[in-house]
């Protein structure tokens, strides 16, 4: 029988990251058994009691500076957290991202001093959840065309409009919302970000159920004369009409990496499952791992997975060092998302018909990975980004 799948690691991974991985693997094994993960996926929900136990490990502090109660930004470790949690699907990785990245990373990079003092200590403790309010019914990748309107009224901001694909908005505390705050013709100079409490008067939601990443539903969110204080303009009132600068900043580069880490983690889980199955399943008097067609599928998938890991963690290291990384994060998102689909479909073929049922996790892995070239900035958008960066 062939040896088990070798670990997909770097030889120079920091010791504290390797130790963190061991802790998370034990946690998932103890608190997220397969039967429970199947039910969470069916119910489109994540386990709040299990997440509360996970939160005791202090992982959400990895994106928050020490002066605000965090551990100091350690993006390589935070990305490793997502990868390890995603081994069990998005049930724990999803809510972690809503706190550590949508909240902690964005406000650490873009928040005003007052916002950092108010929100970051609670985010470091895992007490708040944020959702994104970026896309709209008629706006996807062209975010400069958003039509959700915000205007100043004394010491308040008034918001009217609608957002789509606000994943987890129904259980989040705030929506990190992109709005048009100036004349429509002032493209790129008429955008702002506003923190909108989900319980504010005038906020209404409608669920959107989807086939992948079913730790939650997404929401259409409607704003009807919603009022928030001007202190909720991300970066403070001086950042009114400066939202495009935030979209082009480091936080968005890192946002591409957190969804890439989910894709990588799920692809790794898919290969693990297919690798084990190929050694156990016997056809024509020998394990199918000894048939050339199966061996080749697994070897190619393993090679793609290793390349994906190098791209992901090289980009994460650049971001952690504060170096320019827009090119590397776009390449990582493009490559890992697309290769993840290739790995999933190859591994599905190794398992065969069983991979279409819930007898194996492969059914969920394929569903989750098929969406990765779409979510978090589509593969085509990453190609456009790279072409612009390379001045093609």
């Amino acid at each position: 029988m062939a040896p088990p799948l070798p670990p997909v690691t770097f030889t120079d991974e920091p010791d504290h990251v390797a130790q963190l991985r061991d802790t998370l693997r034990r946690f998932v094994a103890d608190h997220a058994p397969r039967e429970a993960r199947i039910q969470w996926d069916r119910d489109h929900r994540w386990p709040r009691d299990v997440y509360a136990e996970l939160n005791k490990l202090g992982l959400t502090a990895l994106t928050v500076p020490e002066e605000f109660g965090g551990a100091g930004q350690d993006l390589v470790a935070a990305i490793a957290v997502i990868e390890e949690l995603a081994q069990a699907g998005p049930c724990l990785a999803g809510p972690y991202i809503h706190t550590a990245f949508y909240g902690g990373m964005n406000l650490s990079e873009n928040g005003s001093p007052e916002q950092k003092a108010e929100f970051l200590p609670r985010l470091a403790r895992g007490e708040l959840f944020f959702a994104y309010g970026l896309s709209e019914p008629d706006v996807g990748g062209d975010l400069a065309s958003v039509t959700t309107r915000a205007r100043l009224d004394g010491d308040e901001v008034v918001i009217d409009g609608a957002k789509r694909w606000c994943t987890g908005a129904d259980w989040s505390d705030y929506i990190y919302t992109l709005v048009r705050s100036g004349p429509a013709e002032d493209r790129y100079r008429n955008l702002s970000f506003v923190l909108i409490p989900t319980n504010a008067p005038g906020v209404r939601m409608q669920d959107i159920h989807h086939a992948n990443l079913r730790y939650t539903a997404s929401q259409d969110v409607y704003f009807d004369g919603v009022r928030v204080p001007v202190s909720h303009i991300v970066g403070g009132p001086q950042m009114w009409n400066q939202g495009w600068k935030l979209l082009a900043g480091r936080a968005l580069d890192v946002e591409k990496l957190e969804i890439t880490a989910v894709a990588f983690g799920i692809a790794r889980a898919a290969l693990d499952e297919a690798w084990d199955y190929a050694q156990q399943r016997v056809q024509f008097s020998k394990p199918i791992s000894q048939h050339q067609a199966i061996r080749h599928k697994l070897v190619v998938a393993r090679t793609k997975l290793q390349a994906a890991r190098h791209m992901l963690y090289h980009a994460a290291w650049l971001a952690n060092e504060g170096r320019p990384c827009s090119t590397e994060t776009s390449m990582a998102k493009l490559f890992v998302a697309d290769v993840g689909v290739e790995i999933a479909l190859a591994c599905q073929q190794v398992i065969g018909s069983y991979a279409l049922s819930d007898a194996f996790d492969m059914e969920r892995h394929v569903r989750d990975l098929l969406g990765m070239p779409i979510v978090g900035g589509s593969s085509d958008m990453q190609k456009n980004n790279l072409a612009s960066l390379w001045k093609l």
Side-chain angles (χ1 to χ4, degrees):
M1 182 174 291
L5 179 65
V8 186
T9 59
F10 283 138
T11 56
D12 60 348
E13 184 169 69
D15 289 342
H16 74 282
V17 176
Q19 294 168 4
L20 182 59
R21 290 183 187 279
D22 289 340
T23 298
L24 288 169
R25 288 166 189 165
R26 290 194 298 271
F27 183 92
V28 169
D30 293 342
H31 294 85
R34 182 173 183 273
E35 295 76 12
R37 299 198 304 266
I38 291 173
Q39 194 60 53
W40 297 332
D41 180 78
R42 288 173 177 167
D43 294 343
H44 282 243
R45 68 178 178 88
W46 53 276
R48 291 180 177 270
D49 55 339
V50 177
Y51 188 79
E53 290 299 312
L54 177 70
N55 198 36
K56 294 177 181 178
L57 299 177
L59 303 176
T60 53
L62 290 171
T63 59
V64 176
E66 292 182 14
E67 59 264 37
F68 298 105
Q73 285 190 349
D74 188 343
L75 298 180
V76 172
I79 291 298
V81 170
I82 298 173
E83 177 199 336
E84 291 300 329
L85 292 178
Q87 301 295 298
C91 54
L92 296 173
Y96 174 74
I97 289 170
H98 283 258
T99 294
F101 286 84
Y102 295 175
M105 184 66 200
N106 275 311
L107 290 183
S108 292
E109 292 297 310
N110 300 325
S112 67
E114 295 76 16
Q115 289 163 354
K116 291 178 180 181
E118 177 181 357
F119 293 110
L120 288 182
R122 297 185 64 192
L123 287 163
R125 296 192 298 268
E127 296 174 357
L128 293 175
F129 295 98
F130 281 61
Y132 267 147
L134 301 178
S135 299
E136 296 183 355
D138 294 317
V139 176
D142 183 16
L143 292 177
S145 296
V146 296
T147 60
T148 296
R149 187 76 173 90
R151 59 181 176 85
L152 296 174
D153 183 17
D155 59 357
E156 292 184 315
V157 181
V158 184
I159 305 102
D160 290 279
K163 291 292 179 179
R164 178 154 287 173
W165 301 114
C166 296
T167 303
D170 58 329
W171 46 263
S172 292
D173 299 286
Y174 292 89
I175 303 174
Y176 193 90
T177 310
L178 179 65
V179 297
R180 181 162 63 81
S181 50
E185 61 271 16
D186 289 344
R187 188 174 172 86
Y188 304 114
R189 299 185 302 275
N190 62 355
L191 302 172
S192 300
F193 276 96
V194 181
L195 300 178
I196 301 178
T198 55
N199 62 357
V203 175
R204 180 171 60 87
M205 302 184 193
Q206 182 175 338
D207 283 353
I208 306 172
H209 292 281
H210 40 84
N212 74 317
L213 301 180
R214 297 199 310 198
Y215 68 97
T216 184
S218 287
Q219 278 74 39
D220 278 335
V221 181
Y222 304 94
F223 306 108
D224 184 9
V226 176
R227 290 178 174 268
V228 300
V230 294
S231 61
H232 280 208
I233 300 169
V234 175
Q238 68 272 16
M239 291 302 292
W240 188 249
N241 287 333
Q242 303 298 310
W244 191 254
K245 293 181 181 179
L246 305 187
L247 276 171
R250 180 168 173 259
L252 186 62
D253 285 332
V254 175
E255 196 276 332
K256 288 179 284 187
L257 292 180
E258 42 91 350
I259 192 64
T260 302
V262 174
F264 177 80
I266 296 172
R268 180 179 161 192
L271 181 55
D272 281 340
E273 188 169 53
W275 192 280
D276 291 342
Y277 178 83
Q279 296 175 70
Q280 299 167 14
R281 175 69 164 170
V282 174
Q283 291 287 280
F284 302 101
S285 303
K286 60 183 178 181
I288 64 172
S289 62
Q290 296 181 20
H291 293 284
Q292 186 181 70
I294 299 299
R295 292 163 69 87
H296 286 187
K297 287 183 189 297
L298 293 174
V299 165
V300 171
R302 175 68 173 80
T303 302
K304 291 176 178 177
L305 192 69
Q306 183 71 9
R309 178 168 177 78
H310 279 280
M311 294 196 75
L312 170 62
Y313 281 95
H314 175 61
W317 176 79
L318 289 173
N320 199 53
E321 293 294 309
R323 302 189 184 192
C325 59
S326 295
T327 295
E328 289 80 6
T329 56
S330 281
M331 287 195 298
K333 173 60 172 70
L334 169 63
F335 183 80
V336 178
D338 287 356
V339 161
V341 173
E342 295 170 7
I343 291 172
L345 295 178
C347 291
Q348 184 184 55
Q349 291 174 2
V350 169
I351 295 178
S353 59
Y354 292 115
L356 301 175
S357 73
D358 61 9
F360 286 83
D361 289 336
M362 193 63 65
E363 182 269 339
R364 186 184 72 247
H365 297 330
V366 172
R367 277 193 285 107
D368 286 343
L369 286 165
L370 283 174
M372 289 303 176
I374 300 172
V375 301
S378 70
S379 291
D380 285 340
M381 286 302 301
Q382 303 311 323
K383 293 172 187 175
N384 286 340
N385 291 344
L386 291 167
S388 296
L389 288 165
W390 294 333
K391 302 186 186 304
L392 287 179

